[in-house]
Amino acid sequence: MDSQPGATPYSAPSGCPMHGERQKSLYGPEFASDPQRVYDEFRAHGLAAPIELAPGVDATLIVQHEAALRVLQNPSFFARDSRRWAALREGRVPLDSPVLPMMAYRPNCLFTDGTEHLRLRKAVTESLGRLNTNRLSRDVERIADYLIDQFIERGSADLLGDYAKLLPLLLFNQLFGCPGDIGDRLTRSMSAIFDGEDVLRANAELTECLMELVALKRRQPGEDITSWLIQHPAGLRDEELKDQLVMLMGAGIEPERNLIANALLLLLSDDSGNPHRRGTGMLVEDALDDVLWNNPPIANYATHYPVQDVDLGGVTLKAETPVLISFAAANSDPALTDARQTLSKGAHLAWGAGPHVCPAKSPAQLIALTAIEKILNSVPDLTLAIPSSAVEWRPGPFHRAMVSLPVRFSPSAPRHAAKAATQSPVPSRITTPEEVPPARYDHLEPPKKTKGWWSSFLDVFRV
């Protein structure tokens, strides 16, 4: 599923004019390998820079902290509704562009403004507020146990592909109350959308399975986010319900997996360059704060559209053109020297700011903390299989994400899956990662009998 360097959906065509101005491109392996150099170059010329997000998709990137706050906190001048995007409306953006699933309008609280935004956001925040933190921790631990059991006998793993990527996907199936078949399709299609692979087909399957889930929960409500959204006084229509679920997954899966993986890289790294000596000794909480400051999982996003031409510190932001916030560049703004020295939690912009600030900050931190502590405690001699400097980063304009995170450890026997299976009245065979490869997306065909990750997990833990 991961885009590989040299074979990414963001690769520029050979005749693309951006080949002559690669510093203005936010896709491709060059930007992925050293984004901070690009941000520094942008900042040297002002608070914003013209960029290309993907071939044929132009935007402006805000790289200064103060300017970022001015955009984020002024919805009267900067709207989030992407139906204002003139180039898309006029047919000048390719409809199969890999960035469209992250930018095109959906009727959810990410892409709405004013009273409509308040109505939808209230439904989302109050539904999230019903989550029980103890139950959430238990769900994360149970999924982590299942995933660890899939590779614990091997003595090696890719903590990105085998763990950090799959854990949030499976967790959202749990939080949404998905049955096996819907959860498998949800996992598959959402992975494809994040990786920019066959996005039109993936989006169609995502829509289909979420509408099935909404219909199911209207008939058979449960203790899950889907049911709570249905029951909310906002009275969301089916289409609105589907799109709030899409927004929650989009805001919770890619950022969460990158937060987990980037923090694990930091914790396992050794400044001496010795990949076989266990990491920095810092606390998991400190590692998470460090990542949010220096390697934010979503580096560039929060697309806004000026409602009119706006002068921002001498830079004219044209009406109805995409303006993105670089959380990564804003966090490294030299003006934040004092805050950066103390890693003040209140100053970084990794969670956004203003009316669209992340509504799930606390659950997201709890999920990452629990997932990281679980893998470190379950595999105490975990070490990087390569020097941290050799880690490859996945191309793409929005995320700060690794291609893989290879590790080594002492092999041991699976524990939790075997225990759960002995308690089940009908022992179920676990589908291994080799049988259901999580790293490809060539399967939006009629369903096959081979089980996906979610239905296999349910076979093990449905006691």
Side-chain angles (χ1 to χ4, degrees):
M1 289 184 295
D2 282 304
S3 306
Q4 300 293 328
T8 166
Y10 296 103
S11 296
S14 58
C16 176
M18 291 305 296
H19 273 282
E21 298 181 81
R22 292 296 297 273
Q23 75 277 8
K24 294 183 180 179
S25 167
L26 289 200
Y27 56 89
E30 183 178 331
F31 171 72
S33 66
D34 191 6
Q36 195 58 56
R37 177 188 61 80
V38 178
Y39 301 144
D40 288 342
E41 290 178 3
F42 287 163
R43 195 182 295 110
H45 293 89
L47 56 83
I51 55 167
E52 190 178 49
L53 293 171
V57 183
D58 299 323
T60 299
L61 189 70
I62 304 295
V63 295
Q64 185 194 70
H65 187 273
E66 182 183 358
L69 284 175
R70 289 174 64 186
V71 173
L72 291 166
Q73 295 175 343
N74 284 280
S76 58
F77 290 99
F78 298 98
R80 295 296 293 267
D81 188 338
S82 56
R83 289 174 296 184
R84 294 176 177 270
W85 187 0
L88 179 62
R89 193 173 62 242
E90 296 164 4
R92 291 184 280 120
V93 175
L95 292 181
D96 61 350
S97 173
V99 300
L100 268 191
M102 296 285 284
M103 297 179 69
Y105 173 80
R106 295 180 188 268
N108 62 39
C109 56
L110 187 64
F111 293 105
T112 50
D113 302 293
T115 56
E116 184 67 1
H117 169 253
L118 292 175
R119 181 179 75 91
L120 297 174
R121 184 177 174 92
K122 184 177 176 64
V124 168
T125 55
E126 292 183 356
S127 296
L128 290 174
R130 296 179 66 174
L131 288 173
N132 180 287
T133 55
N134 291 328
R135 176 184 167 187
L136 181 61
S137 293
R138 289 195 301 270
D139 287 341
V140 174
E141 290 181 349
R142 187 171 60 162
I143 292 169
D145 285 334
Y146 168 74
L147 293 174
I148 292 168
D149 274 351
Q150 308 307 304
F151 57 75
I152 193 68
E153 291 182 293
R154 299 203 306 256
S156 64
D158 168 15
L159 286 189
L160 191 286
D162 296 335
Y163 190 70
K165 172 184 281 189
L166 289 169
L167 189 146
L169 281 166
L170 298 183
L171 179 62
F172 269 88
N173 285 331
Q174 178 77 49
L175 297 178
F176 287 178
C178 291
D181 175 61
I182 290 178
D184 286 344
R185 289 151 58 206
L186 197 62
T187 300
R188 181 173 66 231
S189 57
M190 204 69 194
S191 297
I193 286 173
F194 276 126
D195 294 327
E197 300 179 12
D198 203 356
V199 293
L200 294 178
R201 253 178 118 182
N203 187 60
E205 183 182 54
L206 178 69
T207 297
E208 180 183 37
C209 65
L210 284 177
M211 292 301 282
E212 287 181 27
L213 178 63
V214 167
L216 173 65
K217 292 299 176 179
R218 283 200 184 277
R219 298 191 307 269
Q220 303 172 18
E223 289 297 307
D224 52 67
I225 290 175
T226 310
S227 300
W228 297 335
L229 283 169
I230 290 171
Q231 296 160 6
H232 193 272
L236 303 183
R237 304 183 303 274
D238 284 2
E239 189 74 12
E240 291 177 324
L241 287 162
K242 179 259 294 183
D243 282 301
Q244 305 325 299
L245 296 176
V246 171
M247 184 273 300
L248 285 169
M249 294 185 74
I253 291 177
E254 173 79 9
E256 193 71 45
R257 77 180 185 182
N258 297 338
L259 179 58
I260 293 169
N262 294 357
L264 281 169
L265 173 64
L266 181 61
L267 287 163
L268 297 175
S269 295
D270 171 42
D271 291 339
S272 72
N274 179 359
H276 305 293
R277 200 183 82 188
R278 180 66 170 271
T280 61
M282 68 167 55
L283 296 174
V284 175
E285 293 91 337
D286 293 338
L288 291 171
D289 284 339
D290 191 290
V291 167
L292 292 169
W293 265 104
N294 299 311
N295 236 358
I298 295 297
N300 309 293
Y301 197 45
T303 311
H304 291 73
Y305 301 88
V307 299
Q308 62 189 48
D309 288 0
V310 176
D311 183 283
L312 189 68
V315 175
T316 299
L317 303 177
K318 301 295 289 183
E320 299 190 320
T321 62
V323 175
L324 276 73
I325 304 299
S326 178
F327 304 117
N331 286 354
S332 61
D333 189 336
L336 294 177
T337 301
D338 292 340
R340 286 185 54 78
Q341 286 177 347
T342 60
L343 293 186
S344 170
K345 296 179 183 179
H348 72 68
L349 293 181
W351 302 109
H356 288 270
V357 67
C358 177
K361 174 182 174 180
S362 295
Q365 290 178 308
L366 176 62
I367 292 165
L369 180 67
T370 305
I372 293 169
E373 289 182 340
K374 170 59 74 170
I375 186 69
L376 295 179
N377 291 332
S378 300
V379 191
D381 62 345
L382 196 67
T383 57
L384 291 177
I386 59 174
S388 58
S389 59
V391 167
E392 293 183 84
W393 296 90
R394 200 171 94 228
F398 305 122
H399 52 245
R400 182 59 173 159
M402 287 175 278
V403 172
S404 63
L405 183 58
V407 293
R408 297 192 185 102
F409 49 87
S410 300
S412 61
R415 293 169 296 171
H416 305 87
K419 178 180 178 182
T422 61
Q423 295 173 339
S424 174
V426 182
S428 300
R429 177 173 172 273
I430 303 172
T431 306
T432 66
E434 288 74 20
E435 293 168 320
V436 186
R440 291 192 59 82
Y441 181 66
D442 50 10
H443 34 266
L444 278 182
E445 300 114 10
K448 299 179 181 178
K449 295 200 177 196
T450 305
K451 289 193 173 182
W453 283 99
W454 181 239
S455 54
S456 298
F457 169 79
L458 290 177
D459 279 351
V460 172
F461 282 97
R462 188 188 288 117
V463 178

